[in-house]
Amino acid sequence: MFKRLPGDEARNLVTTAPDTAVVFQPAVVRTPAIITLVIYLYRFLIALIRTIWRHPVATAIPAALGFTWYQYGWPLATSLFGVVALSLLSWAFIDRPSFARLVGWRLLAWWRLMSVYRRHWQSVMDVSGLGKRVYGRNYLPRLMRVQCDGWADRITVRMLRGQAVKDWSDRIENLAHGFGVTSCRVALIKGGRLLLIFPRRDPLATPIPALPVPDEPTVGPVEIGKQEDGRPLKLKVHGTHVLIAGATGAGKGSFLWDTIRGLLPAIRAGLAEVWALDPKLMELSFGRELFQGRYAADPADCADLLDEAVSVMQKRAARFAGLQRSHVPTVEDPFVLVLVDEVAFLTAYQPDKQLRQRISAALATLATQGRSVGVGVMAALQDPRKEVMNIRNLFPDKIALRLDESEQVDMVLGDGARDRGALADHISPIPEQGAGVAYMRLETSPEPIRVRAAYVSDADIRAMVAQFGEAA
């Protein structure tokens, strides 16, 4: 019966009698034209000052050219414009990185701001439900800043008062498709401000060849690949534990072999040892000569090797007690990295109950007490469910490669990781495009980052064995 009128003026109604129709009478306020002109002039001046403050170079160049044209005529202004354009082109060809950093990305950010984000901001906010209408007035989150680099646009947004990060993370697909990109990630800058990351291209689309073996012995962080922003991916293994989860063919072996490859000089120098548990007999057996006899494939042998690692850990803890709180690798006390490929076979699918409990207890002991005395665990598995791996929360650093279900992303990386943009279930199953691509969530940073590990081929492993194996 009631009709909504502009302004939601339901409170301003007039009735004549109980049996007559309800008549709405919206309030009308007549504003003098001079006040309207003053308001628009004020807004224009504020916008002009804000533009000059935020974009001094972009506004100074056309202003200088316009003044030259007015003062000295168009020939001089045209010549000056040609000199500036030629100088910029020469700079771009001679030193492309500095040109991109100081000029190119800023111009691209301005263009993306005007042609994409500001143009579609209101419609995307309204359709996605992030804009609100209260008492007939529209409220929109404020688009504050756009920054560009080689692979993504970074948008700084001021949320509406009362909004939460989850309101935005629940709508990452709406935001991505609304602005014409394939994905979106949400990160909190500080109270009330968000950073939206919109990738324009995928720098991890092509496989990365095996990285060179380091020249100097080090226990980490070891370089194993590349991050999405182009920086080297360095994985910390000393002083932490790492859990790797991914479906069959997702590239878990790349992370294992890249880590081994980065530790080879330290192994040769006696500062590190890699103990390998390979119940599948398919992955780590290829380079068993690198493990200096610390290799096991039979479940009983795996249990013995884990018990030995627990014994080493406990003896070190007894010696370090009261003397030091952190481990420094030495020849006498090297860093010990326990690699477990397909840990679920030992902890969940092992038919011998007594052996299964023994292995689970040893892994839990190492994961809770080992990192302070220089004993780390890196475990890989396919199924991250709790009943398969009930100690996954004991691993501070987690890596999610391609997963079969969206729920598994939060199982591996923690609650809310997928809402923040860790779309591990969307990684391509085509090996050339998706093998080794993963989302990593580190103990020091709650935000998942997208990475790709280098591919270590069979020929690379043979070369490693020939150079660093026991016979060598």
Side-chain angles (χ1 to χ4, degrees):
M1 182 179 71
F2 292 96
K3 294 182 180 181
R4 174 174 289 184
L5 295 178
D8 291 341
E9 293 288 340
R11 60 185 181 276
N12 298 315
L13 57 90
V14 177
T15 58
T16 57
D19 57 343
T20 59
V22 178
V23 178
F24 290 94
Q25 181 179 343
V28 177
V29 178
R30 299 185 181 278
T31 305
I34 185 63
I35 297 180
T36 303
L37 293 176
V38 169
I39 292 175
Y40 278 112
L41 179 61
Y42 171 78
R43 291 178 178 178
F44 172 77
L45 292 176
I46 292 297
L48 180 62
I49 294 173
R50 185 185 295 118
T51 302
I52 295 174
W53 175 262
R54 291 182 177 179
H55 310 284
V57 177
T59 53
I61 291 177
L65 291 175
F67 176 78
T68 304
W69 188 321
Y70 175 79
Q71 193 73 19
Y72 303 104
W74 67 265
L76 182 59
T78 305
S79 302
L80 184 61
F81 176 78
V83 170
V84 172
L86 184 61
S87 301
L88 291 175
L89 287 175
S90 302
W91 182 11
F93 280 105
I94 294 174
D95 190 358
R96 186 178 297 269
S98 65
F99 176 82
R101 184 178 69 256
L102 298 175
V103 179
W105 299 135
R106 298 183 183 217
L107 290 176
L108 179 61
W110 177 82
W111 174 253
R112 297 282 293 175
L113 169 67
M114 302 304 296
S115 65
V116 178
Y117 298 109
R118 185 163 291 172
R119 178 183 177 187
H120 302 292
W121 186 253
Q122 181 171 355
S123 60
V124 173
M125 293 297 104
D126 287 340
V127 173
S128 63
L130 293 170
K132 302 298 179 182
R133 182 179 176 87
V134 181
Y135 294 120
R137 182 175 180 180
N138 291 324
Y139 293 88
L140 295 177
R142 183 178 173 186
L143 175 61
M144 300 188 65
R145 187 180 185 186
V146 177
Q147 295 175 292
C148 293
D149 55 24
W151 68 280
D153 298 337
R154 302 173 187 273
I155 316 299
T156 303
V157 177
R158 177 179 292 172
M159 296 186 292
L160 295 178
R161 294 189 181 275
Q163 282 187 334
V165 178
K166 193 175 186 305
D167 296 329
W168 290 75
S169 60
D170 288 343
R171 295 170 173 84
I172 56 175
E173 294 186 1
N174 303 69
L175 294 171
H177 296 303
F179 292 116
V181 295
T182 57
S183 64
C184 171
R185 290 158 216 176
V186 179
L188 180 64
I189 301 176
K190 63 178 184 179
R193 294 194 181 187
L194 291 179
L195 179 66
L196 305 181
I197 302 176
F198 296 104
R200 298 190 309 275
R201 66 181 186 90
D202 186 4
L204 305 179
T206 57
I208 304 171
L211 301 175
V213 177
D215 297 327
E216 299 296 329
T218 178
V219 295
V222 293
E223 185 175 350
I224 64 171
K226 185 170 68 173
Q227 301 183 42
E228 192 172 32
D229 59 5
R231 293 181 297 174
L233 170 61
K234 294 186 177 182
L235 180 64
K236 179 183 178 182
V237 290
H238 179 243
T240 188
H241 306 296
V242 183
L243 179 65
I244 305 170
T248 302
K252 297 185 292 295
S254 297
F255 284 89
L256 298 177
W257 282 112
D258 280 319
T259 302
I260 297 171
R261 191 174 178 87
L263 292 175
L264 286 177
I267 295 174
R268 169 173 282 183
L271 300 178
E273 296 178 359
V274 176
W275 299 16
L277 282 68
D278 188 23
K280 290 196 307 182
L281 279 170
M282 292 301 296
E283 188 67 53
L284 300 177
S285 61
F286 221 68
R288 66 179 70 186
E289 293 86 355
L290 299 171
F291 307 128
Q292 302 174 344
R294 306 292 188 178
Y295 173 86
D298 183 76
D301 295 337
C302 291
D304 292 339
L305 194 60
L306 287 173
D307 288 340
E308 186 177 352
V310 171
S311 177
V312 169
M313 179 198 71
Q314 292 173 342
K315 290 178 180 178
R316 285 188 185 179
R319 287 189 289 108
F320 292 172
L323 299 176
Q324 63 185 73
R325 297 176 57 189
S326 59
H327 175 257
V328 178
T330 62
V331 177
E332 293 77 17
D333 292 311
F335 166 58
V336 176
L337 178 62
V338 180
L339 287 183
V340 189
D341 184 37
E342 198 47 62
V343 65
F345 181 80
L346 300 174
T347 60
Y349 307 142
Q350 174 55 235
D352 189 332
K353 181 179 180 181
Q354 185 177 0
L355 194 60
R356 183 172 67 248
Q357 292 176 345
R358 180 182 163 197
I359 292 173
S360 298
L363 283 173
T365 304
L366 291 173
T368 53
Q369 305 175 27
R371 63 176 182 168
S372 62
V373 294
V375 179
V377 178
M378 176 179 283
L381 76 163
Q382 295 183 26
D383 191 346
R385 289 177 298 171
K386 198 73 173 181
E387 56 269 23
V388 175
M389 185 65 172
N390 59 4
I391 62 170
R392 67 187 185 206
N393 291 334
L394 299 179
F395 290 81
D397 298 334
K398 304 176 181 69
I399 300 171
L401 292 104
R402 177 174 56 84
L403 296 170
D404 295 327
E405 302 172 0
S406 59
E407 295 80 4
Q408 293 179 343
V409 179
D410 288 351
M411 293 181 189
V412 179
L413 300 180
D415 291 342
R418 192 181 187 280
D419 290 339
R420 291 175 179 264
L423 305 179
D425 54 311
H426 288 182
I427 297 176
S428 174
I430 302 174
E432 292 77 12
Q433 298 179 10
V437 177
Y439 290 89
M440 179 184 298
R441 194 170 189 177
L442 305 178
E443 181 183 21
T444 55
S445 174
E447 300 298 334
I449 57 175
R450 189 167 178 264
V451 301
R452 185 164 194 169
Y455 173 64
V456 182
S457 65
D458 294 350
D460 295 322
I461 298 175
R462 292 191 186 97
M464 293 160 56
V465 171
Q467 184 178 358
F468 294 94
E470 291 179 311

